[in-house]
Amino acid sequence: MKYPLIDIDLQKLKYNFNELNKKCSKKNIKLTVVTKGFAGDQKIMKTLMMANVNSIADSRLDNIKEFRDLNYNGEAILLRIPKKSEIKEAINYIDCSLVSEKESCIYLSEEAKKINKKIGVIVMVDIGDRREGVMPENLMNFIKEIIKFPGIYLEGIGTNLGCYGGVIPDLKNTQKIIELKKEVENELGIEINRLSGGNTATTNLFGQGLLESEVNNLRVGEAILLANDITNQRQIEYLKRDVFKVRAEIIELKKKPSLPSGSQGCNFSGEKVQFKDKGIVKRAILAIGSQDIDHSSLIPELKGVEILGSSSDHLLVELSNCKKELNYGDVLNFKLGYSALLRAMTSPYVKKNYLY
Ligand SMILES: *Cc1c(COP(=O)(O)O)cnc(C)c1O
């Protein structure tokens, strides 16, 4: 085995997709699998295709192209509001895009018309998280303008919470987007096909009625990949937690003072770090660093292992409370959060080990 590596349990992944898909189907919600967490990995995508996934969304066009190369013929949605510079290429691979700028709709329409295609747009509305989306009061006018563009059609409206502002989806803000949809339908005399109500965090509203009645699409990544919902700080108990696991090798094991010695500047990422004096502590260095993982969302499996920090190529852990005797060359396992997963899947240095 070559370390660091990431174990990818394809059966568990399939299980998570199937379970969530069943739950969504019962509520008449179309499940769009958000694939950005696995950086276009073909084996993972093939697994999802074998499970009959028919709607995916990715923020990177490169990943979507990768999936089309695999003959994925289902719906592909550009999840990040599009860059002007990618639209001309993107329209060949996508069915739909999230949008929030009139200009992007103009470009989408012009380019799509050239190839006799109509691209669906899902207009994003900012109902509080303050990342992408038109403000609610501007939605009506926005739609009135873009609805005339010949190369696009209004597929739906959508919203995203729990990403920048960490705003929790609840009945109140979800009700808001439902009302907006109805207002637009009434005023313009149209029917809006899709209400794309949110991401993993919104699955928290399952069972509360509202979701079942109006929201008919969710875009979900984290729940399927990690059985986790960071916004609501919960694990999703009906899904499997360990689709992914990172393993890294110990390259130094020593007792050292917990405090650095010398006049202190900034660490490698420009931060001034405060250290607690715990005297001499037992520590290990693992051969995995911030080029490979984000240590802030890494969870050691072995009891008593505590993450101290990382630099570009080293992960430092404290072993004071670890009962197991460890040696040079031993391998430690870690569960991952979203940011650690993104980095690990993107790093060419982290070997991918598929479990079938
Ligand atoms: C990343 C993303 C998602 C998926 O979020 P998860 O928390 O992984 O479910 C959904 N919608 C948008 C717009 C995103 O950027």
Side-chain angles (χ1 to χ4, degrees):
M1 287 283 188
K2 278 193 173 169
Y3 301 101
L5 65 76
I6 182 164
D7 289 318
I8 304 169
D9 192 321
L10 298 172
Q11 289 308 319
K12 285 182 179 157
L13 178 85
K14 196 166 117 187
Y15 177 90
N16 285 356
F17 166 70
N18 282 333
E19 285 303 299
L20 198 64
N21 201 27
K22 267 189 271 175
K23 264 195 154 26
C24 286
S25 299
K26 269 194 212 139
K27 301 168 201 302
N28 291 319
I29 293 172
K30 180 186 176 87
L31 174 61
T32 296
V33 177
V34 170
T35 48
K36 67 188 179 205
F38 56 85
D41 186 281
Q42 292 206 343
K43 291 215 172 65
I44 297 179
M45 187 60 191
K46 274 189 195 158
T47 305
L48 290 169
M49 283 164 65
M50 279 186 314
N52 292 321
V53 71
N54 59 14
S55 174
I56 63 112
D58 205 300
S59 40
R60 314 277 169 157
L61 181 59
D62 283 347
N63 294 344
I64 293 174
K65 285 166 69 178
E66 203 73 51
F67 303 151
R68 292 301 192 202
D69 280 349
L70 288 175
N71 288 325
Y72 168 69
N73 294 318
E75 175 180 72
I77 302 174
L78 192 56
L79 186 64
R80 180 171 59 189
I81 45 177
K83 296 181 275 186
K84 186 177 176 184
S85 59
E86 72 185 344
I87 284 176
K88 190 180 166 66
E89 189 184 11
I91 51 158
N92 295 298
Y93 301 95
I94 62 169
D95 304 290
C96 235
S97 180
L98 305 190
V99 294
S100 67
E101 289 289 349
K102 189 176 125 190
E103 284 79 2
S104 70
C105 295
I106 294 174
Y107 280 109
L108 277 167
S109 173
E110 280 175 359
E111 294 300 333
K113 226 172 65 181
K114 284 185 200 159
I115 60 165
N116 287 320
K117 201 170 166 179
K118 264 186 183 266
I119 298 287
V121 295
I122 298 172
V123 178
M124 293 302 276
V125 187
D126 178 358
I127 56 169
D129 202 51
R130 301 292 176 257
R131 205 180 66 183
E132 77 273 55
V134 301
M135 294 303 285
E137 60 273 23
N138 300 328
L139 178 66
M140 191 76 75
N141 278 338
F142 186 92
I143 290 181
K144 278 183 190 165
E145 289 195 277
I146 65 150
I147 211 162
K148 298 181 294 214
F149 300 157
I152 60 174
Y153 64 93
L154 181 66
E155 163 65 15
I157 65 173
T159 195
N160 196 58
L161 292 163
C163 274
Y164 173 68
V167 171
I168 293 175
D170 55 25
L171 297 183
K172 193 155 166 259
N173 51 29
T174 302
Q175 186 65 50
K176 175 86 192 160
I177 188 84
I178 292 169
E179 277 164 17
L180 285 167
K181 173 182 172 258
K182 289 182 175 159
E183 276 172 31
V184 173
E185 288 182 330
N186 290 339
E187 178 152 344
L188 302 184
I190 54 173
E191 215 172 286
I192 293 179
N193 186 24
R194 182 182 324 219
L195 183 53
S196 192
N199 56 31
T200 292
T202 302
T203 65
N204 204 25
L205 297 180
F206 275 167
Q208 298 195 37
L210 195 61
L211 216 50
E212 285 80 345
S213 61
E214 300 289 345
V215 171
N216 61 3
N217 177 225
L218 291 174
R219 312 171 307 272
V220 179
E222 190 186 19
I224 296 169
L225 301 174
L226 299 166
N228 198 41
D229 170 2
I230 188 138
T231 305
N232 291 295
Q233 293 284 304
R234 67 181 175 129
Q235 288 202 5
I236 300 174
E237 81 289 342
Y238 57 87
L239 300 177
K240 295 196 187 293
R241 174 76 179 89
D242 44 357
V243 174
F244 299 93
K245 188 186 286 185
V246 153
R247 296 192 260 162
E249 195 176 341
I250 294 175
I251 52 174
E252 182 186 293
L253 262 173
K254 290 191 193 307
K255 286 184 174 157
K256 286 193 184 180
S258 46
L259 284 185
S261 148
S263 64
Q264 232 190 304
C266 289
N267 73 1
F268 91 110
S269 54
E271 295 156 333
K272 267 219 187 300
V273 186
Q274 299 287 328
F275 293 87
K276 228 166 74 191
D277 190 2
K278 299 200 243 169
I280 306 279
V281 294
K282 199 167 134 195
R283 317 178 324 164
I285 299 178
L286 293 132
I288 187 168
S290 50
Q291 193 163 14
D292 314 299
I293 38 96
D294 176 4
H295 78 255
S296 66
S297 73
L298 210 57
I299 305 149
E301 278 194 354
L302 183 62
K303 248 184 125 143
V305 176
E306 204 186 309
I307 292 177
L308 294 171
S310 69
S311 56
S312 47
D313 309 297
H314 302 76
L315 177 71
L316 279 74
V317 299
E318 187 180 323
L319 301 170
S320 307
N321 300 317
C322 181
K323 302 238 159 55
K324 189 168 179 216
E325 203 205 318
L326 293 167
N327 297 298
Y328 172 75
D330 281 353
V331 169
L332 294 184
N333 297 343
F334 300 85
K335 290 195 175 80
L336 299 92
Y338 212 61
S339 60
L341 175 67
L342 279 173
R343 193 93 52 93
M345 289 306 295
T346 307
S347 173
Y349 303 106
V350 179
K351 303 289 172 255
K352 314 297 182 280
N353 183 43
Y354 301 94
L355 310 172
Y356 293 93

